């Protein structure tokens, strides 16, 4: 694990939590959407935030 300060770790933890929440929200929106375009957009956004989450997790290794 890289040498991160406590402040950096806290910021990273908060960002990870925010991205994780966005993934869950957009997946829920996609499941509930009746309109295929909205469903596709929500799925794309969920995927984008999952990529953000994965990128942030990469900073821990």
């Amino acid at each position: 694990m890289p040498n991160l300060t406590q402040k950096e770790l806290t910021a990273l933890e908060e960002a990870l939590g925010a991205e994780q929440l966005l993934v869950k929200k957009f997946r829920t929106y996609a499941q509930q959407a009746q309109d295929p375009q909205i469903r596709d957009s929500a799925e794309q956004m969920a995927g984008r935030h999952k990529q953000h989450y994965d990128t942030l997790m990469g900073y821990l290794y």
Side-chain angles (χ1 to χ4, degrees):
M1 183 160 93
N3 292 331
L4 298 174
T5 66
Q6 185 60 45
K7 187 174 183 176
E8 291 169 329
L9 284 172
T10 299
L12 188 53
E13 183 180 71
E14 290 174 2
L16 283 166
E19 291 298 337
Q20 192 173 39
L21 180 61
L22 287 167
V23 170
K24 288 179 184 178
K25 283 184 176 185
F26 280 111
R27 284 184 179 158
T28 299
Y29 298 156
Q31 290 172 353
Q32 295 177 353
Q34 301 297 319
D35 184 318
Q37 281 185 310
I38 293 173
R39 184 175 31 251
D40 290 346
S41 292
E43 288 173 356
Q44 287 176 1
M45 292 301 293
R48 186 171 304 151
H49 286 288
K50 176 69 168 89
Q51 288 176 338
H52 294 169
Y53 179 86
D54 292 342
T55 299
L56 291 170
M57 283 297 289
Y59 293 121
L60 295 175
Y61 301 104

